[in-house]
Every structure is written in C-alpha cells, then in structure tokens.
Amino acid sequence: MSQFDSLKELLILDSNEETKFSEKQLKIIEAAIEIFSEKGFAATSTSEIAKKAGVAEGTIFRHYKTKKELLVSIVSPLMTKLLGPHFAKDFAQEVFEIEYESFETFIRNLASNRYEFVKKYIAVVKILIQEISYHEELKEPYVKLFKEHVYEKFKKIIIRFQEKDEIVDWSPDTIMRLIITTLMGTLLSLFLVLPETDWDNEAELETTIQFLINGLSVK
C-alpha cells in the first residue's frame, strides 16, 4: 500500500455524509501532498496541483478558498483528526502504558514505533516539518495532543527508571527533550534531510538507541 493509499483509507473511513470526500477532492489532496512535499508550500501553485490532479484550477477553489486553506485541510485533518488519535491515544497505549522491565526495552519500543509511523506517513510528515514554522495553526494541535495524552505518561516512565537507578537523575523534562530530539533527528536524516544517502536504516536506528541508552544510563 502506498503512502497516499494509507491516508486515503483513513479519509474514507473517517468521513461521514457531511465530510465525505468526492473523487475529485481526493485527487486534489493526493496531488497537493505530492507537490507540497517535493517543492514546499510557497513554491507550489494551484495550477500545478490542478494539472497533477487532472482537474480544472477552478475546481480547487470550489472546495478550498485559498492555497493555504488547502494546506491546512491536508495537514490538520490528516494529522490531528485522523493521525492525531494514533499519535496521541494509540501512541500512548502502544508505548507509554506498558510495564517495561528495563529502560532499554522502553527506548527500543519508542524508537520502533516512531520509525514505522514516519516511514508510513512520510509525505505528510515532510509537509508538516516544512511548514510548521510558518503557520502557527499547524503547531498548536500537536502541542495540545502531546500535553493531553503523552506528557504525563512519558514523565512517569522516566521517573520510574530514575528511581530504579537505571538512568541519570536529571530533570525528567530534559531527558524527554533529549530522547525526542535525538530520535527525531535520526528519523529526519533518514527520510527527509539526507534520504539519498545509502543508509542502513536498521543499523542507524540501532546506533541511535545505543546512544540514548549509554548517554542516559547511570555510570
């Protein structure tokens, strides 16, 4: 299944009579995802999207008043309404609601979970990373999701392993920041920043896991 097929499946499953997407709308969204991810929002024109989708440019504006509304309609529903539950609720359940025997087991599960997520939805993740600094409305929902569904559970796991003397006694917030930025740095390098590099993805992920385990363990 292609990346857009996965997203399309989510769109169709989530839609109701009020939000149901027409075939033309799905083609517009697919074309926009592909071009936005390749060229960025600013460098993409609605005429390019229309051509790629095989529709008249006026068709886009019947569904979306502006190009920015099209961008927000792609990222916000797909990432907060559809993928958001995965990121927050399912992510919390799959990673943060497990009794881990060791800090290493926790880090391995977290790294594997995020690797598979980014790999599956890389096109939309790429758009989000590119545009989040320029469009505040794209950032706010993710901060809210993280605080509501992940933050306290993440912190609780960190504190538990500190109490077991497995990891350093630093601020839990600092440790969470180091884990998140290290993992995201690896994933962005593998899939976005340097995708043309002949990476051995499994080896790179393993190196990142070892880096976190060794860097945060009590010496």
Side-chain angles (χ1 to χ4, degrees), residues 35-145:
I35 301 175
F36 282 158
S37 66
E38 288 177 357
K39 300 178 63 175
F41 172 77
T44 299
S45 68
T46 52
S47 61
E48 287 179 280
I49 295 171
K51 184 178 179 180
K52 183 77 176 177
V55 301
E57 189 172 7
T59 302
I60 293 177
F61 293 111
R62 281 202 294 272
H63 295 290
Y64 309 99
K65 295 178 182 178
T66 64
K67 185 174 69 167
K68 184 169 181 177
E69 186 177 300
L70 174 57
L71 169 70
V72 174
S73 77
I74 289 170
V75 176
S76 292
L78 289 174
M79 294 297 285
T80 62
K81 187 178 179 182
L82 301 175
L83 303 186
H86 177 88
F87 172 78
K89 297 175 185 177
D90 291 352
F91 176 38
Q93 186 176 30
E94 293 167 3
V95 176
F96 297 100
E97 296 178 10
I98 296 174
E99 286 293 323
Y100 294 99
E101 293 184 359
S102 67
F103 180 66
E104 177 176 350
T105 307
F106 163 65
I107 288 295
R108 287 190 179 281
N109 190 31
L110 174 62
S112 175
N113 182 282
R114 292 301 82 190
Y115 175 85
E116 293 301 327
F117 178 84
V118 172
K119 182 180 178 182
K120 187 173 184 179
Y121 298 110
I122 186 59
V124 177
V125 171
K126 185 176 181 180
I127 294 170
L128 177 65
I129 295 299
Q130 289 171 337
E131 307 302 333
I132 200 167
S133 298
Y134 304 103
H135 307 283
E136 188 68 21
E137 61 268 46
L138 299 182
K139 178 172 68 175
E140 292 174 0
Y142 310 105
V143 174
K144 186 172 183 287
L145 281 168

